[in-house]
Amino acid sequence: MEKEQFQTLLRFFKALADESRLKIVGILANQECSVEELAVLLQLKEPTVSHHLAKLKELNLVTMRPEGNSRLYQLDSEALQSISKQIFTPEQIASLIQDVDTEAWENKVLKNYFDVDVSDNNSVQRLKEIPASRKKRLVILKWLANRFEIGVQYPERTVNDILKHYHPDYATLRRELIGYQLMQRENAVYWRSG
């Protein structure tokens, strides 16, 4: 997401993070109102309503038209739809995490459950225990699955020997790798799922 769009998104959420402004948007979605009418409907003072309208106008969410001595406000549904189309797509929302290390939690789990640094492929890594938490267990199992090459078939004995290197309860690890569909098995031959 571009910085400008990100700032628009922040302003949008800040503007609508107020109960009174949300109510104003709801009222203006149904009808035009003056500041005086909104003040009566919301039981607020007119300067407070004007302040809220100014915040909504910054995002072009409301339009104003003069009528005699008053000004009538209405929700600009086209502006709302435009923001929605530009920013509220799954791709744009997903791009909010560009600067976030998405593997930080998994790395923390690995660090907590292994005796040594798992990023160092030259050191001997021993799994302290098999996590009880399904989410943490999946992190460990994905790491273990990466010890097997894709496209290579392994006899059960070889799978056991590889897993035994990391934890004495290799049978549980082997079953879990199958259960989480990280590996496949047929006739005592195992292979890593793509």
Side-chain angles (χ1 to χ4, degrees):
M1 180 174 286
E2 294 176 20
K3 187 171 185 172
E4 182 181 314
Q5 289 177 316
F6 189 78
Q7 292 303 317
T8 301
L9 185 63
L10 282 177
R11 286 195 319 272
F12 179 82
F13 281 122
K14 283 179 182 178
L16 295 181
D18 181 277
E19 182 180 351
S20 296
R21 284 195 281 271
L22 277 175
K23 288 179 179 178
I24 289 171
V25 167
I27 292 168
L28 297 180
N30 291 319
Q31 66 190 46
E32 283 186 316
C33 286
S34 66
V35 171
E36 182 182 9
E37 289 172 309
L38 287 169
V40 170
L41 290 170
L42 297 170
Q43 298 177 357
L44 296 172
K45 295 186 187 302
E46 289 182 27
T48 303
V49 171
S50 293
H51 168 76
H52 290 312
L53 286 169
K55 293 286 187 187
L56 295 171
K57 280 173 52 178
E58 285 176 15
L59 289 170
N60 299 318
L61 289 176
V62 296
T63 58
M64 183 271 300
R65 69 174 182 85
E67 186 175 281
N69 290 338
S70 18
R71 295 180 175 153
L72 296 178
Y73 294 86
Q74 186 171 14
L75 178 69
D76 187 342
S77 57
E78 287 180 19
L80 187 61
Q81 288 175 352
S82 174
I83 289 175
S84 178
K85 286 178 185 173
Q86 289 175 8
I87 297 175
F88 293 114
T89 64
E91 296 81 18
Q92 289 289 15
I93 296 299
S95 73
L96 292 172
I97 62 166
Q98 285 175 341
D99 298 337
V100 175
D101 180 4
T102 56
E103 295 177 2
W105 184 80
E106 290 179 357
N107 290 334
K108 181 178 187 257
V109 170
L110 292 170
K111 185 178 177 187
N112 288 341
Y113 280 91
F114 279 93
D115 282 328
V116 296
D117 183 10
V118 292
S119 62
D120 181 5
N121 290 329
N122 297 323
S123 63
V124 176
Q125 298 116 352
R126 295 290 295 171
L127 183 59
K128 295 176 190 177
E129 64 180 297
I130 299 171
S133 159
R134 292 180 59 82
K135 193 170 181 182
K136 291 178 182 177
R137 187 178 317 148
L138 180 58
V139 170
I140 298 298
L141 291 171
K142 283 180 179 178
W143 186 87
L144 287 170
N146 285 327
R147 305 304 125 218
F148 299 91
E149 293 182 41
I150 294 176
V152 175
Q153 293 189 343
Y154 297 89
E156 187 169 300
R157 182 180 187 128
T158 303
V159 172
N160 291 343
D161 289 341
I162 291 170
L163 294 175
K164 199 184 302 181
H165 178 76
Y166 301 104
H167 194 272
D169 191 359
Y170 57 87
T172 296
L173 292 174
R174 188 184 68 232
R175 280 192 304 273
E176 292 288 310
L177 285 167
I178 298 297
Y180 280 85
Q181 298 180 352
L182 296 169
M183 292 190 78
Q184 302 295 316
R185 170 186 61 202
E186 188 175 313
N187 298 327
V189 176
Y190 294 75
W191 62 94
R192 186 172 146 201
S193 303

